[in-house]
Amino acid sequence: MITNILVIDDSASMRAILQAALASSGYTVTLAADGDEGLEHALAQRFDLVLTDQYMPHVSGLDLIKQLRANQSYAQTPILVLTTESDETFKAEVRDAGATGWIEKPVDPEMLVDLVGALGDAPG
């Protein structure tokens, strides 16, 4: 069951949109402004789902996925990449790194909630 979600994006407005959509559907959301902060949160607390931007300062989404997958606690955790990329090379690269899937920006909040619900039972 997915109840606790980590959202990592260097855009404050994107974090706000994602938090509003997910929190209004009953999920607990923790926010991080870059890959370093996201990794700190992920190692300090267990999350049921990680949503990460691809292009961020310090640690990219791709590098973050590789680091999380190397940690036994996140070996099976769904990880979705938020991106503006849509080419097949990128999709293969994130899949190879261990991403469960990706969401193209701009994110449709209803589609996001539906996708999270499909990955695990909605809370409550």
Side-chain angles (χ1 to χ4, degrees), residues 8-9 32-40 52 56-61 64:
I8 309 162
D9 199 301
D34 61 39
D36 285 336
E37 185 182 356
L39 193 57
E40 285 177 28
T52 181
M56 298 180 290
H58 311 295
V59 177
S60 72
L64 177 76

Side-chain angles (χ1 to χ4, degrees), residues 17-87:
I17 290 167
L18 297 171
Q19 181 177 33
L22 295 167
S24 69
S25 295
Y27 297 101
T28 300
V29 180
T30 300
L31 302 175
D34 61 39
D36 285 336
E37 185 182 356
L39 193 57
E40 285 177 28
H41 283 301
L43 297 178
Q45 178 183 349
R46 179 76 176 85
F47 293 93
D48 305 316
L49 171 67
V50 176
L51 296 174
T52 181
D53 187 16
Q54 167 54 19
Y55 299 109
M56 298 180 290
H58 311 295
V59 177
S60 72
L62 196 62
D63 289 337
L64 177 76
I65 293 166
K66 290 175 184 176
Q67 291 181 50
L68 288 176
R69 289 297 187 220
N71 183 309
Q72 187 60 34
S73 296
Y74 287 95
Q76 300 299 316
T77 302
I79 302 174
L80 298 175
V81 178
L82 304 164
T83 185
T84 56
E85 294 284 340
S86 61
D87 67 62

Side-chain angles (χ1 to χ4, degrees), residues 99-113:
T100 306
W102 52 88
I103 301 171
E104 289 184 32
K105 292 181 180 181
V107 176
D108 175 338
E110 286 184 32
M111 185 274 309
L112 172 65
V113 170

